[in-house]
Amino acid sequence: MRKKSSKVLSILLSFMMTITALMPVWSSAATSSGKDYDHHWAKSAIIKALDMGILKGYSDGSIKPDQKMTRMEFFSMVNAAFGYTVEADVSFVDMYPSAWYTPVIKRAFVAGYLSTIKSLGTASVGSKLSDLNKATPEGYEAILSILEAKIMQGTPDKLFMPKADIKRQ
């Protein structure tokens, strides 16, 4: 059973990483006329994601395809892509009730994909990467799990760069 859930999670995370590599997270308009992604290489993928409802918008209607993506934007995409709408009655110290991301966190909590990532297992491959000590304590085990599942890997320079930002394109 654990092997099957690991495969499903691997597919899920691979899909989401591909989407995030191809497009930005937020936009409110599904048309491309006069938008900041009109001449972007991922324009067709952006439009498709808008049409599918995976992407939502910045208040000014822009996408900002070259801006770095936040974790909450990524989690919002996961929730939208897989239809996660049920919200847990949870609260965290750094979670403000009126923040736009509060429902995102509550849905991710119910969906369980954050805790599932942490339970994939540990990776011996992690010891080959010299900068994993820069990860937060809660992120370290998740990174090892992602490496073990072969969802991600280090750079050719044997780095993982746990503090690096993900670009929105």
Side-chain angles (χ1 to χ4, degrees), residues 44-104:
S44 62
I46 292 167
I47 293 171
K48 184 174 182 178
L50 289 168
D51 291 343
M52 292 172 61
I54 294 172
L55 302 182
K56 296 181 182 172
Y58 282 110
S59 59
D60 66 358
S62 66
I63 288 183
K64 303 174 186 172
D66 294 318
Q67 183 171 306
K68 295 174 184 168
M69 182 187 312
T70 68
R71 282 187 289 178
M72 292 305 113
E73 290 171 338
F74 177 77
F75 296 158
S76 181
M77 285 184 66
V78 173
N79 292 344
F82 294 95
Y84 298 142
T85 58
V86 178
E87 296 178 11
D89 186 19
V90 296
S91 180
F92 300 100
V93 175
D94 59 348
M95 187 171 84
Y96 303 99
S98 62
W100 73 267
Y101 58 79
T102 297
V104 172

Side-chain angles (χ1 to χ4, degrees), residues 2-33:
R2 179 182 159 119
K3 192 169 190 131
K4 183 178 180 181
S5 65
S6 292
K7 283 185 179 184
V8 169
L9 182 63
S10 294
I11 292 168
L12 162 78
L13 290 174
S14 296
F15 171 75
M16 292 312 300
M17 288 185 328
T18 301
I19 287 176
T20 60
L22 294 176
M23 69 190 84
V25 177
W26 298 109
S27 179
S28 60
T31 64
S32 62
S33 177

